[in-house]
Amino acid sequence: MDAQGRGRADDIDPADQWVLNPDTGEYELRLGPSAPRSGVPAPRRPRPSEAAPPARGRTEAPGRSRPETPGRAVPPPRRRRGAPEEPLPGRRGRRPAKASKGKKVLLWTGGAMAFVLVAGAGAAYFYIEHLNDNIASVSDDGASTGGFSKDKAINILLIGTDKRTGKGNGSYGDAGSVGHADTTILLHVSKDRSNATALSIPRDLITDVPDCPTTQEDGTQKIIPGTRQVRFNTSLGQDGRTPSCTMRTVTELTGVKPDNFMVADFNAVKTLTSAVGGVEVCVGKDLDDPDSHLKLSKGTHTIEGEQALAFVRTRHAVGFGGDLSRIGLQQQFLSALMRKLKSNDTLTSPSKMLDLAEAGTKALTVDSQLDSIGKLKDLGLELGKLNTENLTFTTTPVIDNPTEKVKATVVLNESSAPQVFSMIRNDVSFTAVKERKKKEAAAVAARLKGTKAPASEVRVRILNGGAVAGSAQETLSWLQNEEGVTKSENAGNAPASLAKTTLEYAPDQAGQARRLADLMGLPGSAMKPGESVTNDQGLPAMTLTLGKDFEGAGVSLTAPSKAPEGVQKSTADKVECAK
């Protein structure tokens, strides 16, 4: 904590006054009769007469622009709350600093470091009321889903930039870099919170960057033209692109639309590892990289600060000396960090939790949909439900760029990458999760088992419930002309949009439903036992509603049940040694 947060008790660390109550399992502020009051306020129980405070909204107010704050590796436009300056156009005004208040804290960090939420969010819940308005934010420019939901799967885009800002960071990143997407991880958390997948996207992957509507410093929007067949890392920083453009690029690449993004700079690794007292890593050989200044002997080491940053930045000392080798090292480091955060040594130490929160908030930029204390708290609690053994780290399947003589970039492995993306889109775990409801899964699978009626007996009405325009007619023509389902008709648009395609049928139509599911590649989860409807001829028929997941007539909607062969993956609970 800084001096301003200590009030008059400059010689007392407020964290030392938090005591674990064995009856409630929560930390409480305990002061002796003569002890000075802590600068960190204790959580206050509202009086019965007090109403819950309304959610803070965002106001649009004109103002003057201000230069980028030195030492922060985040792209403009941005703001930091809690300062007295006049608000930038299009951003929420800042509140004056409150007197005699301790510096509030948040168990959070950005980019790759955002994984700390998985380990520590639940334990830090009692600090949420002490959050300070020091979180920087950047507009999502409409590129997100509008923010995560508690009742749905969660997709968070974690970005680490290579911008050379901050004390001691001149040896890292590209000189003069505007802050590219140097490290990018798409974190997918399952709907039931039983598992998660962390998909690394190589910075040197050749892909298309789409046109990006981007909020400017004066609050106006400018469309930054897209480019084809360029490195993925240029989706940020290049030509004034902000994280929302990286978000759009990921959506185009994977088919997964992120809910939120978080960005971090180099300082996140240094300050966070020091806050927890170091992270234990293992190396299978002596490492000596003059470029990153990493020098470690074979064996196990506890690293923090500059040494930790050198560890995650090195690439010449491990594997084949490229970015893919460094990705593996970063995944190993994040697993080790999570294990440290899960340990009692960290979670039961209020002083460490305060240090951790302070370090995280200073290195983080979030999107405008996460710019509230309530949302950050809720996201932390959702991620805190995960177990490290069910968090899988994997990398987008790629191959060397065949057009290059000197191999410097990579392209998608078209034989396996689509399957990996499909698993994430369809919320399929990369690990066997013990907590899965086996009975429910068996019941869903059973819907596909049994006799199938001939195609000529299938009677179905087709509605468009969110698919691209013309999908219902396209499916009708395909079923009638190529699959022999002549008793089918186009029923127009559904009354509501659906994320997933569904097939509703009556019990006596189960054979017809199984035949249609087989023809269209529908999974058991798309089959909804219910009631029949009356078609144009006055006869009972099934209802096929094409959802947003529909990709075209004849394209299977059944997601793969496991990762393709050859895809490397590891789980956060395993200790691995870098080689």
Side-chain angles (χ1 to χ4, degrees):
M1 296 185 67
D2 57 24
Q4 295 177 351
R6 296 184 183 275
R8 297 180 180 177
D10 296 279
D11 57 339
I12 295 177
D13 186 348
D16 295 334
Q17 301 177 58
W18 289 92
V19 180
L20 179 66
N21 185 333
D23 297 325
T24 65
E26 296 183 353
Y27 282 84
E28 299 175 354
L29 186 65
R30 301 286 178 83
L31 296 175
S34 61
R37 293 187 62 81
S38 168
V40 178
R44 184 173 70 86
R45 297 178 181 273
R47 298 189 183 99
S49 60
E50 293 179 335
R56 287 187 290 175
R58 294 172 172 77
T59 59
E60 300 291 331
R64 60 178 179 268
S65 62
R66 65 181 174 89
E68 182 179 350
T69 303
R72 294 279 302 180
V74 294
R78 48 168 273 171
R79 63 180 171 83
R80 178 168 292 283
R81 297 178 290 160
E85 292 97 349
E86 186 175 344
L88 290 174
R91 288 158 175 76
R92 181 156 39 127
R94 298 176 176 83
R95 300 182 302 173
K98 294 181 180 179
S100 303
K101 289 289 185 180
K103 197 163 187 179
K104 303 171 188 177
V105 292
L106 169 66
L107 178 63
W108 195 262
T109 185
M113 295 303 97
F115 283 106
V116 302
L117 281 171
V118 176
Y125 178 78
F126 54 90
Y127 285 127
I128 295 298
E129 294 186 11
H130 311 304
L131 294 172
N132 193 16
D133 293 337
N134 65 343
I135 304 296
S137 69
V138 180
S139 175
D140 72 340
D141 295 315
S144 75
T145 62
F148 77 95
S149 299
K150 292 183 180 181
D151 58 346
K152 296 180 181 179
I154 297 174
N155 294 293
I156 306 293
L157 189 63
L158 314 172
I159 307 170
T161 71
D162 63 351
K163 194 171 184 179
R164 284 185 175 184
T165 55
K167 183 179 179 181
N169 292 331
S171 301
Y172 305 102
D174 297 327
S177 174
V178 292
H180 294 117
D182 197 48
T183 298
T184 305
I185 297 175
L186 177 61
L187 175 62
H188 171 82
V189 184
S190 67
K191 181 179 180 180
D192 63 8
R193 307 297 185 256
S194 66
N195 66 91
T197 302
L199 177 70
S200 293
I201 301 176
R203 67 172 191 177
D204 296 326
L205 172 65
I206 297 299
T207 189
D208 295 338
V209 176
D211 293 344
C212 298
T214 307
T215 302
Q216 304 299 297
E217 288 282 357
D218 61 0
T220 62
Q221 278 222 337
K222 172 185 177 182
I223 297 180
I224 300 176
T227 52
R228 294 180 56 81
Q229 295 300 289
V230 293
R231 278 181 166 89
F232 174 86
N233 68 342
T234 60
S235 64
L236 176 65
Q238 198 82 4
D239 301 322
R241 295 179 179 125
T242 65
S244 66
C245 192
T246 304
M247 187 178 270
R248 294 184 193 277
T249 305
V250 168
T251 302
E252 291 287 328
L253 176 68
T254 66
V256 179
K257 191 172 188 176
D259 301 305
N260 301 99
F261 66 70
M262 297 159 61
V263 185
D265 55 24
F266 289 157
N267 291 317
V269 180
K270 296 195 293 186
T271 57
L272 192 62
T273 52
S274 295
V276 298
V279 173
E280 187 176 276
V281 296
C282 177
V283 293
K285 65 178 181 179
D286 294 342
L287 301 181
D288 188 357
D289 185 355
D291 291 330
S292 69
H293 310 294
L294 176 67
K295 192 170 185 177
L296 290 176
S297 59
K298 179 180 179 180
T300 301
H301 301 268
T302 298
I303 60 175
E304 63 176 281
E306 287 287 347
Q307 193 176 37
L309 180 56
F311 184 84
V312 299
R313 291 295 304 164
T314 188
R315 53 176 171 158
H316 300 301
V318 294
F320 295 103
D323 185 52
L324 295 179
S325 298
R326 181 169 62 180
I327 286 175
L329 203 68
Q330 291 169 346
Q331 293 174 348
Q332 177 202 343
F333 173 82
L334 289 170
S335 296
L337 176 60
M338 288 184 58
R339 291 193 297 271
K340 180 62 178 285
L341 288 165
K342 281 285 190 180
S343 69
N344 289 334
D345 180 55
T346 300
L347 298 181
T348 59
S349 171
S351 60
K352 280 190 177 182
M353 297 297 280
L354 280 167
D355 289 342
L356 184 62
E358 189 69 17
T361 54
K362 289 181 177 179
L364 172 68
T365 295
V366 298
D367 69 89
S368 49
Q369 303 296 336
L370 267 183
D371 187 20
S372 76
I373 293 172
K375 279 290 186 180
L376 288 169
K377 177 204 70 175
D378 290 343
L379 178 59
L381 293 176
E382 291 301 306
L383 298 181
K385 298 174 183 178
L386 288 170
N387 190 309
T388 54
E389 69 179 6
N390 293 328
L391 168 57
T392 303
F393 288 94
T394 189
T395 303
T396 302
V398 294
I399 58 174
D400 288 334
N401 190 341
T403 65
E404 296 177 335
K405 292 183 178 180
V406 178
K407 303 305 179 184
T409 62
V410 293
V411 296
L412 284 183
N413 184 336
E414 295 294 347
S415 66
S416 53
Q419 187 172 339
V420 170
F421 298 155
S422 177
M423 290 179 68
I424 295 176
R425 286 197 306 271
N426 290 280
D427 202 19
V428 178
S429 174
F430 279 65
T431 58
V433 183
K434 298 177 182 178
E435 293 84 358
R436 283 214 178 270
K437 300 176 181 179
K438 295 182 179 180
K439 291 183 179 180
E440 181 179 341
V444 169
R447 296 171 189 168
L448 296 170
K449 298 179 180 178
T451 58
K452 301 180 181 66
S456 59
E457 295 181 9
V458 174
R459 188 178 289 109
V460 60
R461 300 177 76 244
I462 307 168
L463 290 89
N464 191 329
V468 297
S471 292
Q473 184 58 44
E474 176 193 0
T475 302
L476 175 67
S477 299
W478 174 73
L479 286 174
Q480 290 183 340
N481 299 327
E482 298 187 33
E483 302 299 333
V485 183
T486 56
K487 299 176 182 178
S488 51
E489 61 187 52
N490 182 350
N493 292 326
S497 179
L498 299 178
K500 301 286 186 180
T501 297
T502 62
L503 174 62
E504 184 175 0
Y505 57 96
D508 61 349
Q509 296 172 318
Q512 295 182 47
R514 285 191 285 267
R515 173 59 65 190
L516 189 60
D518 181 60
L519 293 174
M520 296 191 62
L522 298 178
S525 58
M527 301 175 68
K528 306 295 182 184
E531 299 178 353
S532 63
V533 294
T534 302
N535 66 7
D536 291 344
Q537 287 76 43
L539 299 173
M542 302 182 296
T543 300
L544 173 67
T545 305
L546 306 177
K548 294 179 181 178
D549 62 334
F550 183 76
E551 297 181 0
V555 180
S556 176
L557 292 174
T558 300
S561 59
K562 62 180 182 179
E565 294 294 330
V567 172
Q568 295 183 345
K569 54 189 176 68
S570 61
T571 52
D573 62 320
K574 299 290 193 304
V575 178
E576 298 188 7
C577 294
K579 297 180 181 179

